[in-house]
Amino acid sequence: MKQIEVVAAIIHDKEGRIFATQRGYGDYKDGWEFPGGKMEPGESPEQALKREIWEELETEIIVEWLAKTVEWDYPQFHLTMHCYWCHVSSGSLTLKEHEAARWLSPDQFDNVDWLPADRVVVELLKDKAQLLFMQQRSAAELSKEPELSLDEIKKYRQR
């Protein structure tokens, strides 16, 4: 069976909502998913995720931490999906490849038809204790985040 490894962004906001996108192409067109995509050779998962979100949404994100790796067998392939807890650092989440997008609060998670592998993550997020833990961890991690020098920012942008 074909193996596919991808990264996905669980983009959250200060209101506790997550960003969901609707696929605009392929076998799973119209299904809802966390945005992301395939890693290129030599890329770390975090680099791939930042690149994919820029390509798909013209948005820069902060990749906070790995929330879940999902292993899922679709009829045509086996998917390994590394899902990262993220937030927007700049940009306006402009849809370049997706049909639609929505910010969903926890009580709205079931309002869209999630793709099977993404549903695994949604079920995790529906556990209010787990979601609260993620939000608290996110706040703690961000408060420790070192400030980047101008040289470091320039080096990052050149990648």
Side-chain angles (χ1 to χ4, degrees), residues 69-106:
T69 295
V70 176
E71 301 285 344
W72 192 266
D73 286 324
Y74 284 95
Q76 306 89 344
F77 58 90
H78 175 82
L79 179 72
T80 300
M81 180 171 66
H82 306 289
C83 303
Y84 287 83
W85 193 248
C86 307
H87 70 271
V88 172
S89 62
S90 67
S92 59
L93 296 167
T94 304
L95 299 181
K96 305 288 282 180
E97 297 181 12
H98 295 92
E99 285 185 19
R102 292 178 59 186
W103 282 103
L104 301 171
S105 59

Side-chain angles (χ1 to χ4, degrees), residues 3-20:
Q3 306 278 326
I4 298 178
E5 187 172 15
V6 299
V7 290
I10 307 168
I11 301 172
H12 65 94
D13 66 10
K14 293 178 182 173
E15 288 80 42
R17 300 177 303 171
I18 60 167
F19 190 71

Side-chain angles (χ1 to χ4, degrees), residues 106 124-133 135:
L124 177 72
L125 296 174
K126 285 166 66 175
D127 176 346
K128 289 186 171 77
Q130 182 67 29
L131 184 59
L132 180 60
F133 167 76
Q135 291 167 338

Side-chain angles (χ1 to χ4, degrees), residues 22-32 74-77 115-116:
Q22 187 178 31
R23 287 183 66 90
Y25 58 90
D27 291 340
Y28 296 95
K29 183 181 182 317
D30 297 330
W32 286 80
Y74 284 95
Q76 306 89 344
F77 58 90
L115 293 174

